[in-house]
Amino acid sequence: MAARIALVTGGIGGIGSAICLELADRGFKVVAGYYPAEKDLAEAWQKKQATEGREFEIASGDVSSFEDSQKMAQEIVSRVGPIDVLVNCAGITRDKTFKKMEPEQWRAVITTNLDSLFNVTRQVVDGMTERGWGRIVNISSVNGQRGQFGQTNYSAAKAGAHGFTMALAQEVARKGVTVNTISPGYIATEMTQAIAEDVRAQIVAQVPMARMGTPEEVAYLVGILCDDRAGYITGANYEVNGGLFMSF
């Protein structure tokens, strides 16, 4: 049987890279999606992985655009094959208190973090249902559950991600396709490491485990949800936050 193909949007980022590695280690043929302006970064990432013995495909696409997402998916299908697994990991922040937030800061986050779920998933879900197998994992955030000062745009988009998950999961459940959400807390990536050390210390002080998570800890859960044996898990939200926010 040929390897199943997985597309990870935001695949060259901190969490995205770890997800790509996890899925590759589990036997998937992995395509890392990247924002078109980051072509040089994506190619450098691909070369670095190759030097370490891992062969990844890369694909350019602006996930905030339906048309661009369509072109990206079509290019992957023609070059690599049909997409069996989709991990919606692409995301941005444009933090500002609500009274200072400009319309473009709201729109940028909503289109990249929420509209993208429709834009990309719409391209692949029909193929999954027709083949009778598929895995869709949406990367949300703890701040979509609890809210966060200065992140009305981000919190709204990430909360919407799980609403999307629950609704779509019901539509495709009988076709062998699962749809789930993962909500990471504060994860140690280049982005969070760029935060001032005293601010990082304040963040860690709120976490019962007294540390940030690792991208690999998020990726491990993605890998489990994409496994054949996870076929009865759908419409669920999994928290990877060190106890920062607890719910059931």
Side-chain angles (χ1 to χ4, degrees):
M1 178 179 167
R4 286 182 167 133
I5 296 164
L7 167 62
V8 181
T9 69
I12 66 170
I15 294 175
S17 290
I19 292 170
C20 288
L21 268 61
E22 176 71 28
L23 293 178
D25 287 347
R26 288 175 176 266
F28 292 94
K29 177 74 173 175
V30 180
V31 183
Y34 67 90
Y35 186 62
E38 296 181 339
K39 182 180 179 183
D40 290 346
L41 281 175
E43 290 177 348
W45 178 90
Q46 186 183 37
K47 287 176 184 174
K48 179 178 181 293
Q49 299 301 332
T51 63
E52 296 173 4
R54 294 187 176 93
E55 296 298 327
F56 290 106
E57 300 285 340
I58 56 174
S60 166
D62 178 357
V63 297
S64 70
S65 159
F66 184 84
E67 292 74 18
D68 217 40
S69 299
Q70 189 174 49
K71 289 176 186 174
M72 175 178 66
Q74 289 171 346
E75 192 252 336
I76 292 168
V77 170
S78 65
R79 179 162 54 90
V80 187
I83 298 164
D84 303 297
V85 169
L86 170 62
V87 183
N88 284 305
C89 188
I92 62 170
T93 56
R94 296 288 186 271
D95 296 354
K96 275 284 193 302
T97 56
F98 187 70
K99 68 180 182 179
K100 294 181 179 178
M101 188 173 290
E102 298 296 332
E104 55 268 26
Q105 293 165 329
W106 173 269
R107 281 194 298 269
V109 170
I110 295 296
T111 56
T112 300
N113 296 12
L114 184 57
D115 289 358
S116 61
L117 302 188
F118 174 81
N119 294 339
V120 184
T121 307
R122 188 68 186 82
Q123 315 306 329
V124 304
V125 71
D126 287 351
M128 292 178 182
T129 58
E130 286 164 11
R131 292 188 299 275
W133 195 94
R135 298 286 185 265
I136 298 167
V137 181
N138 300 314
I139 306 299
S140 182
S141 167
V142 64
N143 291 341
Q145 299 175 284
R146 66 173 197 157
Q148 177 62 35
F149 185 95
Q151 284 196 330
T152 51
N153 49 6
Y154 187 81
S155 297
K158 292 301 188 178
H162 189 55
F164 176 93
T165 288
M166 292 188 291
L168 183 59
Q170 295 179 50
E171 294 186 23
V172 298
R174 293 189 181 185
K175 301 291 188 179
V177 180
T178 66
V179 191
N180 292 289
T181 305
I182 294 176
S183 294
Y186 289 97
I187 306 299
T189 62
E190 284 187 16
M191 185 171 70
T192 54
Q193 293 309 111
I195 297 171
E197 191 172 340
D198 60 328
V199 177
R200 279 207 317 276
Q202 290 171 13
I203 290 169
V204 169
Q206 301 173 52
V207 181
M209 284 192 177
R211 67 173 177 87
M212 288 191 178
T214 68
E216 290 74 20
E217 287 170 320
V218 178
Y220 176 64
L221 185 50
V222 174
I224 290 171
L225 292 175
C226 293
D227 193 278
D228 273 324
R229 294 165 289 182
Y232 204 57
I233 303 171
T234 198
N237 180 42
Y238 289 89
E239 299 163 4
V240 187
N241 62 38
L244 178 62
F245 179 87
M246 301 183 188
S247 67
F248 70 96

